[in-house]
Each structure stands twice: as structure tokens, then as C-alpha cells.
Amino acid sequence: MVATPIMSVLELLRRPFRSGEAETLRGLTVDEPLDLSDLQLPNLDFTGSVFNAPVTARGARFQGLAWFNGVTFNAAVDFSRATFRNDANFKAARFGGSVTCSGAEFSGVACFDGATFEKAAFLNKMTCFGSLSLDRARFAGPASFQDTECFGGLWGNRTAFGSRVDMQGVEVHGRTWLVGATTPDDGGAARLASAIRSYGYCWL
């Protein structure tokens, strides 16, 4: 598959935000590092794209919808301090390198349903005004959610943690669903729930 020149990608992402319109970047192959740090970004759709080099979006402001459904990240990804003004969809994404979302803010749903995390995942100190959804997500490496706040609930249906997971300081305002969640030890969903401060109903 022919790689897409990085300047072509950046040109589209630097267009002004237009309500109801998204920059279509589906099915691309990007071999060069993509740095979106501190940029204001429009609605964008990277569904099915492949990134073979690091993606950095520290402090980026996603002004509309952000679709990364089915995306393959073969290198490190950094969304620390990024702001998502609407839903952020990472459904069925594969993260082959480390993932950092430390301090990211999601005004809509932070959706990682069916995502695969092969290395360390730092989803700590996030603020999710919609729900944080991890339905059937798979974490092969260590995962940290320390001090993350979920104002629209936490959906951990059948989420599988294959290594150490840190839920200390997590606060959930709304439904906490951990049915079928697994951890390397025998604690499973009950151990995860014991570290979470939940202000709504909790299902195990």
C-alpha cells in the first residue's frame, strides 16, 4: 500500500472547523511521524488508517468528532492534555506501541470498545464528561487509570487486563459496569471495583 505524504495529511487537518463536515482521511497508510501538538483540529475521520510511526497530539484541541475506528498504531501514541470537544471513537483500534492520554479531557464519550493495547497504557488523570467505554477492550501491558474522573459512567464489560492495572483514585459519577472484567490475579471485577470511588450503582 502506498504511503500518504505527511504534508497532505497536515494540510487537511489545518483546515478550519466546519460544522457537519469532516475531513475524510480513511484507509491511509502514514509512515512518517505525525505531530499535531497544540493544533486546533476540525472534524476528522481516520477510520481504518495505519500509522507506522509515532503520533503525537499533546495539547491538541479536537473541535468536533474524532474517528479513529479500526486504526492501527504501530508506534507510540501521545494524546496527553488533548481536548476532545465531542465523541472520541477508538473502536477496534490496535495500539502496537505505548499509549499516553494523561490529562486528556473528553466532552463526549471516550470510546475504546474492542480496542487492543499491546504495550503500556497511561489513561490516567483523564476527565470524561461522557462515559469511558472499554467494552471488550484487551490490555496486554500494564494499564494506569489513576485519578481519572468519569462523569458519565464507566463501561468495562468483559474488559481483559493481562498485566498490572491501577485504578487508584478513579471516580465514577454514574453507572460502573465491570461484568466479566478480568485481571491476571483472582480478584477480577471485585478487585477493580474496590479501588474505584463510585457515586452510582456498580455491577460486577
Side-chain angles (χ1 to χ4, degrees):
M1 186 176 291
V2 178
T4 303
I6 197 67
M7 292 309 296
S8 298
V9 177
L10 289 173
E11 182 180 353
L12 290 173
L13 295 179
R14 286 176 174 146
R15 290 181 177 178
F17 173 81
R18 303 186 309 280
S19 181
E21 298 182 33
E23 303 306 331
T24 301
L25 298 149
R26 288 177 167 235
L28 303 183
T29 297
V30 182
D31 289 338
E32 303 171 69
L34 179 61
D35 190 350
L36 306 175
S37 297
D38 298 318
L39 293 181
Q40 294 203 45
L41 300 167
N43 289 314
L44 54 87
D45 184 1
F46 276 110
T47 296
S49 292
V50 177
F51 295 91
N52 291 317
V55 175
T56 305
R58 289 191 295 267
R61 293 172 292 283
F62 294 82
Q63 300 176 85
L65 295 170
W67 289 284
F68 293 91
N69 299 325
V71 167
T72 297
F73 297 98
N74 285 320
V77 178
D78 188 352
F79 287 98
S80 57
R81 297 182 292 99
T83 301
F84 295 85
R85 290 303 181 196
N86 210 307
D87 292 345
N89 285 307
F90 292 88
K91 293 178 182 177
R94 185 180 71 81
F95 297 92
S98 62
V99 183
T100 303
C101 292
S102 303
E105 181 180 296
F106 300 85
S107 294
V109 176
C111 181
F112 295 92
D113 293 350
T116 301
F117 299 82
E118 298 180 3
K119 303 293 184 182
F122 300 95
L123 307 181
N124 59 307
K125 298 183 179 179
M126 301 191 310
T127 302
C128 304
F129 291 103
S131 65
L132 172 58
S133 189
L134 304 167
D135 189 284
R136 301 172 193 262
R138 298 288 180 265
F139 292 83
S144 174
F145 296 84
Q146 190 174 44
D147 296 329
T148 283
E149 292 183 279
C150 304
F151 289 94
L154 171 62
W155 185 259
N157 184 63
R158 298 190 182 183
T159 306
F161 295 99
S163 186
R164 179 176 56 84
V165 54
D166 184 0
M167 290 278 183
Q168 292 298 320
V170 171
E171 294 190 1
V172 180
H173 303 259
R175 175 182 58 188
T176 301
W177 183 280
L178 297 170
V179 175
T182 59
T183 58
D185 54 36
D186 294 332
R191 186 176 74 78
L192 297 174
S194 69
I196 295 172
R197 182 176 296 173
S198 180
Y199 294 95
Y201 290 108
C202 182
W203 284 267
L204 305 179

PDB file of all heavy atoms in Angstrom, residues 63-85:
ATOM      1  N   GLN A  63     -11.892  19.855  17.830  1.00  0.00           N
ATOM      2  CA  GLN A  63     -13.052  20.723  17.994  1.00  0.00           C
ATOM      3  C   GLN A  63     -14.381  20.030  17.703  1.00  0.00           C
ATOM      4  O   GLN A  63     -15.435  20.529  18.080  1.00  0.00           O
ATOM      5  CB  GLN A  63     -12.905  21.948  17.087  1.00  0.00           C
ATOM      6  CG  GLN A  63     -11.664  22.782  17.407  1.00  0.00           C
ATOM      7  CD  GLN A  63     -11.499  23.922  16.430  1.00  0.00           C
ATOM      8  OE1 GLN A  63     -12.080  24.994  16.612  1.00  0.00           O
ATOM      9  NE2 GLN A  63     -10.737  23.703  15.371  1.00  0.00           N
ATOM     10  N   GLY A  64     -14.339  18.908  17.026  1.00  0.00           N
ATOM     11  CA  GLY A  64     -15.559  18.181  16.704  1.00  0.00           C
ATOM     12  C   GLY A  64     -15.382  16.695  16.925  1.00  0.00           C
ATOM     13  O   GLY A  64     -14.665  16.277  17.835  1.00  0.00           O
ATOM     14  N   LEU A  65     -16.009  15.895  16.088  1.00  0.00           N
ATOM     15  CA  LEU A  65     -15.887  14.451  16.193  1.00  0.00           C
ATOM     16  C   LEU A  65     -14.492  13.997  15.780  1.00  0.00           C
ATOM     17  O   LEU A  65     -13.874  14.583  14.885  1.00  0.00           O
ATOM     18  CB  LEU A  65     -16.936  13.770  15.314  1.00  0.00           C
ATOM     19  CG  LEU A  65     -18.401  13.982  15.720  1.00  0.00           C
ATOM     20  CD1 LEU A  65     -19.322  13.460  14.628  1.00  0.00           C
ATOM     21  CD2 LEU A  65     -18.696  13.268  17.036  1.00  0.00           C
ATOM     22  N   ALA A  66     -14.027  12.955  16.428  1.00  0.00           N
ATOM     23  CA  ALA A  66     -12.713  12.383  16.107  1.00  0.00           C
ATOM     24  C   ALA A  66     -12.878  10.876  15.970  1.00  0.00           C
ATOM     25  O   ALA A  66     -13.128  10.186  16.951  1.00  0.00           O
ATOM     26  CB  ALA A  66     -11.700  12.717  17.209  1.00  0.00           C
ATOM     27  N   TRP A  67     -12.772  10.382  14.734  1.00  0.00           N
ATOM     28  CA  TRP A  67     -12.949   8.959  14.473  1.00  0.00           C
ATOM     29  C   TRP A  67     -11.596   8.309  14.211  1.00  0.00           C
ATOM     30  O   TRP A  67     -10.906   8.641  13.242  1.00  0.00           O
ATOM     31  CB  TRP A  67     -13.843   8.735  13.259  1.00  0.00           C
ATOM     32  CG  TRP A  67     -15.287   9.072  13.453  1.00  0.00           C
ATOM     33  CD1 TRP A  67     -16.223   8.359  14.126  1.00  0.00           C
ATOM     34  CD2 TRP A  67     -15.967  10.218  12.943  1.00  0.00           C
ATOM     35  NE1 TRP A  67     -17.444   8.995  14.082  1.00  0.00           N
ATOM     36  CE2 TRP A  67     -17.317  10.129  13.356  1.00  0.00           C
ATOM     37  CE3 TRP A  67     -15.560  11.310  12.164  1.00  0.00           C
ATOM     38  CZ2 TRP A  67     -18.258  11.100  13.019  1.00  0.00           C
ATOM     39  CZ3 TRP A  67     -16.489  12.264  11.837  1.00  0.00           C
ATOM     40  CH2 TRP A  67     -17.828  12.160  12.255  1.00  0.00           C
ATOM     41  N   PHE A  68     -11.260   7.348  15.061  1.00  0.00           N
ATOM     42  CA  PHE A  68     -10.063   6.524  14.877  1.00  0.00           C
ATOM     43  C   PHE A  68     -10.474   5.049  14.895  1.00  0.00           C
ATOM     44  O   PHE A  68      -9.716   4.184  15.327  1.00  0.00           O
ATOM     45  CB  PHE A  68      -9.053   6.802  15.995  1.00  0.00           C
ATOM     46  CG  PHE A  68      -8.471   8.191  15.962  1.00  0.00           C
ATOM     47  CD1 PHE A  68      -9.065   9.226  16.673  1.00  0.00           C
ATOM     48  CD2 PHE A  68      -7.330   8.480  15.227  1.00  0.00           C
ATOM     49  CE1 PHE A  68      -8.538  10.514  16.656  1.00  0.00           C
ATOM     50  CE2 PHE A  68      -6.788   9.757  15.195  1.00  0.00           C
ATOM     51  CZ  PHE A  68      -7.395  10.776  15.918  1.00  0.00           C
ATOM     52  N   ASN A  69     -11.671   4.760  14.429  1.00  0.00           N
ATOM     53  CA  ASN A  69     -12.187   3.403  14.477  1.00  0.00           C
ATOM     54  C   ASN A  69     -11.364   2.467  13.588  1.00  0.00           C
ATOM     55  O   ASN A  69     -11.121   2.762  12.410  1.00  0.00           O
ATOM     56  CB  ASN A  69     -13.643   3.367  14.017  1.00  0.00           C
ATOM     57  CG  ASN A  69     -14.544   4.204  14.904  1.00  0.00           C
ATOM     58  OD1 ASN A  69     -14.338   4.284  16.108  1.00  0.00           O
ATOM     59  ND2 ASN A  69     -15.537   4.838  14.306  1.00  0.00           N
ATOM     60  N   GLY A  70     -10.958   1.329  14.142  1.00  0.00           N
ATOM     61  CA  GLY A  70     -10.216   0.348  13.369  1.00  0.00           C
ATOM     62  C   GLY A  70      -8.837   0.789  12.945  1.00  0.00           C
ATOM     63  O   GLY A  70      -8.214   0.167  12.077  1.00  0.00           O
ATOM     64  N   VAL A  71      -8.319   1.839  13.554  1.00  0.00           N
ATOM     65  CA  VAL A  71      -6.983   2.336  13.210  1.00  0.00           C
ATOM     66  C   VAL A  71      -5.915   1.439  13.829  1.00  0.00           C
ATOM     67  O   VAL A  71      -6.078   0.926  14.941  1.00  0.00           O
ATOM     68  CB  VAL A  71      -6.815   3.796  13.684  1.00  0.00           C
ATOM     69  CG1 VAL A  71      -5.361   4.227  13.632  1.00  0.00           C
ATOM     70  CG2 VAL A  71      -7.663   4.725  12.832  1.00  0.00           C
ATOM     71  N   THR A  72      -4.816   1.265  13.116  1.00  0.00           N
ATOM     72  CA  THR A  72      -3.659   0.533  13.639  1.00  0.00           C
ATOM     73  C   THR A  72      -2.536   1.520  13.906  1.00  0.00           C
ATOM     74  O   THR A  72      -2.076   2.218  12.992  1.00  0.00           O
ATOM     75  CB  THR A  72      -3.174  -0.528  12.636  1.00  0.00           C
ATOM     76  OG1 THR A  72      -4.210  -1.500  12.430  1.00  0.00           O
ATOM     77  CG2 THR A  72      -1.933  -1.241  13.163  1.00  0.00           C
ATOM     78  N   PHE A  73      -2.136   1.610  15.160  1.00  0.00           N
ATOM     79  CA  PHE A  73      -0.996   2.435  15.558  1.00  0.00           C
ATOM     80  C   PHE A  73       0.169   1.478  15.838  1.00  0.00           C
ATOM     81  O   PHE A  73       0.162   0.762  16.841  1.00  0.00           O
ATOM     82  CB  PHE A  73      -1.310   3.235  16.821  1.00  0.00           C
ATOM     83  CG  PHE A  73      -2.436   4.233  16.675  1.00  0.00           C
ATOM     84  CD1 PHE A  73      -3.721   3.913  17.090  1.00  0.00           C
ATOM     85  CD2 PHE A  73      -2.201   5.490  16.151  1.00  0.00           C
ATOM     86  CE1 PHE A  73      -4.756   4.827  16.985  1.00  0.00           C
ATOM     87  CE2 PHE A  73      -3.238   6.417  16.037  1.00  0.00           C
ATOM     88  CZ  PHE A  73      -4.520   6.084  16.455  1.00  0.00           C
ATOM     89  N   ASN A  74       1.163   1.468  14.980  1.00  0.00           N
ATOM     90  CA  ASN A  74       2.287   0.542  15.151  1.00  0.00           C
ATOM     91  C   ASN A  74       3.429   1.125  15.963  1.00  0.00           C
ATOM     92  O   ASN A  74       4.436   0.440  16.191  1.00  0.00           O
ATOM     93  CB  ASN A  74       2.806   0.085  13.782  1.00  0.00           C
ATOM     94  CG  ASN A  74       1.871  -0.921  13.123  1.00  0.00           C
ATOM     95  OD1 ASN A  74       1.328  -1.795  13.794  1.00  0.00           O
ATOM     96  ND2 ASN A  74       1.660  -0.776  11.825  1.00  0.00           N
ATOM     97  N   ALA A  75       3.290   2.357  16.391  1.00  0.00           N
ATOM     98  CA  ALA A  75       4.309   3.011  17.217  1.00  0.00           C
ATOM     99  C   ALA A  75       3.607   3.741  18.361  1.00  0.00           C
ATOM    100  O   ALA A  75       2.386   3.666  18.513  1.00  0.00           O
ATOM    101  CB  ALA A  75       5.141   3.971  16.370  1.00  0.00           C
ATOM    102  N   ALA A  76       4.376   4.470  19.147  1.00  0.00           N
ATOM    103  CA  ALA A  76       3.825   5.150  20.327  1.00  0.00           C
ATOM    104  C   ALA A  76       2.800   6.212  19.933  1.00  0.00           C
ATOM    105  O   ALA A  76       2.890   6.848  18.885  1.00  0.00           O
ATOM    106  CB  ALA A  76       4.951   5.792  21.124  1.00  0.00           C
ATOM    107  N   VAL A  77       1.808   6.394  20.809  1.00  0.00           N
ATOM    108  CA  VAL A  77       0.750   7.388  20.623  1.00  0.00           C
ATOM    109  C   VAL A  77       0.691   8.263  21.871  1.00  0.00           C
ATOM    110  O   VAL A  77       0.707   7.747  22.995  1.00  0.00           O
ATOM    111  CB  VAL A  77      -0.616   6.699  20.416  1.00  0.00           C
ATOM    112  CG1 VAL A  77      -1.721   7.735  20.283  1.00  0.00           C
ATOM    113  CG2 VAL A  77      -0.583   5.801  19.196  1.00  0.00           C
ATOM    114  N   ASP A  78       0.623   9.581  21.682  1.00  0.00           N
ATOM    115  CA  ASP A  78       0.591  10.501  22.822  1.00  0.00           C
ATOM    116  C   ASP A  78      -0.504  11.539  22.631  1.00  0.00           C
ATOM    117  O   ASP A  78      -0.393  12.435  21.797  1.00  0.00           O
ATOM    118  CB  ASP A  78       1.952  11.185  22.984  1.00  0.00           C
ATOM    119  CG  ASP A  78       2.054  12.003  24.265  1.00  0.00           C
ATOM    120  OD1 ASP A  78       1.029  12.166  24.963  1.00  0.00           O
ATOM    121  OD2 ASP A  78       3.168  12.478  24.579  1.00  0.00           O
ATOM    122  N   PHE A  79      -1.596  11.378  23.410  1.00  0.00           N
ATOM    123  CA  PHE A  79      -2.698  12.342  23.416  1.00  0.00           C
ATOM    124  C   PHE A  79      -2.752  13.081  24.757  1.00  0.00           C
ATOM    125  O   PHE A  79      -3.811  13.550  25.157  1.00  0.00           O
ATOM    126  CB  PHE A  79      -4.031  11.634  23.182  1.00  0.00           C
ATOM    127  CG  PHE A  79      -4.255  11.150  21.776  1.00  0.00           C
ATOM    128  CD1 PHE A  79      -4.020   9.834  21.428  1.00  0.00           C
ATOM    129  CD2 PHE A  79      -4.703  12.023  20.793  1.00  0.00           C
ATOM    130  CE1 PHE A  79      -4.235   9.381  20.129  1.00  0.00           C
ATOM    131  CE2 PHE A  79      -4.926  11.588  19.493  1.00  0.00           C
ATOM    132  CZ  PHE A  79      -4.681  10.259  19.158  1.00  0.00           C
ATOM    133  N   SER A  80      -1.649  13.166  25.459  1.00  0.00           N
ATOM    134  CA  SER A  80      -1.658  13.811  26.774  1.00  0.00           C
ATOM    135  C   SER A  80      -2.090  15.270  26.651  1.00  0.00           C
ATOM    136  O   SER A  80      -1.706  15.979  25.735  1.00  0.00           O
ATOM    137  CB  SER A  80      -0.278  13.719  27.429  1.00  0.00           C
ATOM    138  OG  SER A  80       0.724  14.297  26.618  1.00  0.00           O
ATOM    139  N   ARG A  81      -2.969  15.671  27.574  1.00  0.00           N
ATOM    140  CA  ARG A  81      -3.517  17.030  27.660  1.00  0.00           C
ATOM    141  C   ARG A  81      -4.355  17.420  26.445  1.00  0.00           C
ATOM    142  O   ARG A  81      -4.684  18.595  26.275  1.00  0.00           O
ATOM    143  CB  ARG A  81      -2.412  18.065  27.883  1.00  0.00           C
ATOM    144  CG  ARG A  81      -1.657  17.919  29.181  1.00  0.00           C
ATOM    145  CD  ARG A  81      -0.613  18.995  29.353  1.00  0.00           C
ATOM    146  NE  ARG A  81       0.487  18.869  28.410  1.00  0.00           N
ATOM    147  CZ  ARG A  81       0.618  19.555  27.282  1.00  0.00           C
ATOM    148  NH1 ARG A  81      -0.275  20.487  26.948  1.00  0.00           N
ATOM    149  NH2 ARG A  81       1.658  19.373  26.482  1.00  0.00           N
ATOM    150  N   ALA A  82      -4.679  16.471  25.585  1.00  0.00           N
ATOM    151  CA  ALA A  82      -5.544  16.782  24.442  1.00  0.00           C
ATOM    152  C   ALA A  82      -6.967  17.038  24.919  1.00  0.00           C
ATOM    153  O   ALA A  82      -7.396  16.518  25.953  1.00  0.00           O
ATOM    154  CB  ALA A  82      -5.519  15.643  23.432  1.00  0.00           C
ATOM    155  N   THR A  83      -7.706  17.835  24.164  1.00  0.00           N
ATOM    156  CA  THR A  83      -9.096  18.146  24.474  1.00  0.00           C
ATOM    157  C   THR A  83      -9.978  17.684  23.320  1.00  0.00           C
ATOM    158  O   THR A  83      -9.759  18.071  22.172  1.00  0.00           O
ATOM    159  CB  THR A  83      -9.283  19.659  24.681  1.00  0.00           C
ATOM    160  OG1 THR A  83      -8.442  20.098  25.754  1.00  0.00           O
ATOM    161  CG2 THR A  83     -10.733  19.973  25.035  1.00  0.00           C
ATOM    162  N   PHE A  84     -10.950  16.843  23.640  1.00  0.00           N
ATOM    163  CA  PHE A  84     -11.904  16.348  22.648  1.00  0.00           C
ATOM    164  C   PHE A  84     -13.259  16.985  22.954  1.00  0.00           C
ATOM    165  O   PHE A  84     -13.873  16.681  23.973  1.00  0.00           O
ATOM    166  CB  PHE A  84     -12.006  14.831  22.707  1.00  0.00           C
ATOM    167  CG  PHE A  84     -10.741  14.104  22.330  1.00  0.00           C
ATOM    168  CD1 PHE A  84      -9.749  13.886  23.268  1.00  0.00           C
ATOM    169  CD2 PHE A  84     -10.551  13.656  21.031  1.00  0.00           C
ATOM    170  CE1 PHE A  84      -8.579  13.210  22.928  1.00  0.00           C
ATOM    171  CE2 PHE A  84      -9.385  12.977  20.675  1.00  0.00           C
ATOM    172  CZ  PHE A  84      -8.397  12.757  21.628  1.00  0.00           C
ATOM    173  N   ARG A  85     -13.733  17.866  22.077  1.00  0.00           N
ATOM    174  CA  ARG A  85     -14.965  18.604  22.327  1.00  0.00           C
ATOM    175  C   ARG A  85     -16.224  17.815  21.996  1.00  0.00           C
ATOM    176  O   ARG A  85     -17.335  18.279  22.225  1.00  0.00           O
ATOM    177  CB  ARG A  85     -14.952  19.918  21.550  1.00  0.00           C
ATOM    178  CG  ARG A  85     -13.947  20.923  22.082  1.00  0.00           C
ATOM    179  CD  ARG A  85     -14.214  21.223  23.547  1.00  0.00           C
ATOM    180  NE  ARG A  85     -13.288  22.201  24.099  1.00  0.00           N
ATOM    181  CZ  ARG A  85     -13.119  22.402  25.389  1.00  0.00           C
ATOM    182  NH1 ARG A  85     -13.802  21.671  26.267  1.00  0.00           N
ATOM    183  NH2 ARG A  85     -12.266  23.301  25.825  1.00  0.00           N
TER     184      ARG A  85
END
